[in-house]
Amino acid sequence: LPPHPFMKGRYERLPRTSEIVALVIKGDHFVPLAELPVVTTSTEPARRTSTSPRKSDSFAPLGLTDLHFSGPAKFNFQLPDGSSRLRSTITRPQRSRKWSNPILRISAGDQLLWEQEIESTHLVDIPIPPVTESLTMEIVCGMHGPVHCGITLNDPLIMKE
């Protein structure tokens, strides 16, 4: 989002959601990923159970909050009509950085949209094909298995046309 006219001067970065005091938004142009229905579609035998993505702040304004994922697992999000992009920053939890890096795959149906080994911070701005009903995120663990096999999506948004 561009800076509001009240933001005078030069800024090194735009504020994070935790620093925002007020917003003027067009609410029909985006949906926080944390507010979409999710189904854990599958897990590997190494992890007997896998919870849905965990929200950092269940009471965040507009539902815009970080999502923490544990793997190995696939998570299927039901998308609203008109979804066009996924935007977020992907990081690894501090405690997991000494372990091997998980791989994140993001797909729409059978079409792979993005795949990356998550070593550090990654900016994500992925176009979603038209008429896509669901978005699948698959976390594949590194060579040490499911020990600290997780990622965090910071303030993930689904943009709508």
Side-chain angles (χ1 to χ4, degrees), residues 45-130:
R47 180 177 293 278
R48 294 182 183 166
T49 61
S50 184
T51 60
S52 292
R54 183 175 50 84
K55 296 178 183 181
S56 282
D57 183 359
S58 296
F59 301 104
L62 308 172
L64 187 59
T65 185
D66 297 348
L67 285 177
H68 305 284
F69 294 81
S70 295
K74 282 185 182 180
F75 302 95
N76 188 16
F77 289 87
Q78 297 302 315
L79 294 176
D81 292 339
S83 298
S84 61
R85 303 191 84 71
L86 167 66
R87 291 185 175 162
S88 184
T89 303
I90 302 172
T91 58
R92 294 189 59 205
Q94 185 77 26
R95 68 182 184 281
S96 71
R97 293 181 186 162
K98 293 182 180 180
W99 296 86
S100 57
N101 302 324
I103 296 170
L104 175 62
R105 294 183 186 126
I106 301 174
S107 56
D110 293 335
Q111 182 180 359
L112 182 65
L113 303 176
W114 192 82
E115 180 177 13
Q116 185 72 45
E117 182 176 356
I118 308 300
E119 301 173 31
S120 58
T121 300
H122 295 274
L123 298 175
V124 175
D125 187 6
I126 303 169
I128 297 172

Side-chain angles (χ1 to χ4, degrees), residues 7-8 19 24 29 31 42 54 59 80 82 87 115 127-128 133 135 154 156 159:
M7 294 178 67
K8 304 289 184 201
E19 302 168 319
V24 177
H29 290 280
V31 177
S42 67
R54 183 175 50 84
F59 301 104
R87 291 185 175 162
E115 180 177 13
I128 297 172
E133 295 179 4
L135 193 70
N154 303 110
M159 307 306 289

